[in-house]
Amino acid sequence: MSVVLGYDESPGAARALRIAIEVAAAYGEELVLVYGAAAPGLRDGAEYRSHYEAIRQAGRTGLEHALTAAEEAGVPASVEVLDERPAQALLDAAERHGGRVIVVGTWGESPMRGALLGSTPHKLLHMSTVPVLCVPTEDDDTPGPAVA
């Protein structure tokens, strides 16, 4: 089994990475870092290939940072950059790797916006057959626990 993480270097993904590493370590599971690199539009022609390569390279760079964080925590990890939209990439990776849970970050969009525009967490919650852990971004303005 594994813990599958959608990672794109956003603030939500940064916190989701920390949580996914904790979950993978707690269960002794591999962490599978996934980036869906499908460029918008039709999947043919030079323009698509150009966009795809740029998106793929950005994803690979971000995943290398996440891979380093997992290795520093002593969690075995692997990287997948897939030519699919993010939600489908995560679903496919979870199926291939026996995902225990899919972890994704959120970045504060409203539930209505997610439903209308099709956010990755919203899609996963409706399409996944394995549990989905949606990790909100950290709010720096939220006070910590009261200290007496």
Side-chain angles (χ1 to χ4, degrees), residues 33-37 52 55-56 59-60 63 79-83:
L33 304 159
V34 178
Y35 186 85
Y52 172 71
I55 291 169
R56 184 177 174 83
R60 179 138 317 268
L63 289 174
V79 169
E80 290 196 12
V81 179
L82 304 172
D83 186 15

Side-chain angles (χ1 to χ4, degrees), residues 25 27 36 38 44 48 52-53 55 59 84 86-87 96 129 132 138 143 145-146 148:
Y27 286 101
D44 60 356
Y48 176 83
Y52 172 71
E53 285 306 318
I55 291 169
E84 298 177 23
R96 274 194 317 282
T129 59
V132 176
E138 291 179 294

Side-chain angles (χ1 to χ4, degrees), residues 21-103:
I21 288 171
E22 289 176 15
V23 172
Y27 286 101
E29 303 285 3
E30 176 189 20
L31 179 60
V32 180
L33 304 159
V34 178
Y35 186 85
L42 298 175
R43 291 180 176 230
D44 60 356
E47 185 176 353
Y48 176 83
R49 284 190 299 278
S50 174
H51 286 137
Y52 172 71
E53 285 306 318
I55 291 169
R56 184 177 174 83
Q57 185 56 44
R60 179 138 317 268
T61 300
L63 289 174
E64 291 301 324
H65 296 138
L67 184 61
T68 299
E71 289 172 350
E72 288 174 355
V75 172
S78 63
V79 169
E80 290 196 12
V81 179
L82 304 172
D83 186 15
E84 298 177 23
R85 288 193 163 76
Q88 192 59 53
L90 290 163
L91 293 169
D92 290 351
E95 184 176 324
R96 274 194 317 282
H97 294 277
R100 174 185 295 275
V101 64
I102 298 172
V103 181

Side-chain angles (χ1 to χ4, degrees), residues 3 5-7 10-23 31 103-106 133-137:
V3 173
L5 171 67
Y7 189 77
S10 67
R15 185 168 186 215
L17 172 63
R18 291 193 306 275
I19 299 299
I21 288 171
E22 289 176 15
V23 172
L31 179 60
V103 181
V104 289
T106 63
L133 175 57
C134 296
V135 180
T137 58

Side-chain angles (χ1 to χ4, degrees), residues 85-87 109 111-124:
R85 288 193 163 76
E109 66 186 16
M112 181 61 78
R113 178 178 165 87
L116 291 174
L117 298 180
S119 74
T120 297
H122 186 265
K123 288 177 184 174
L124 289 170

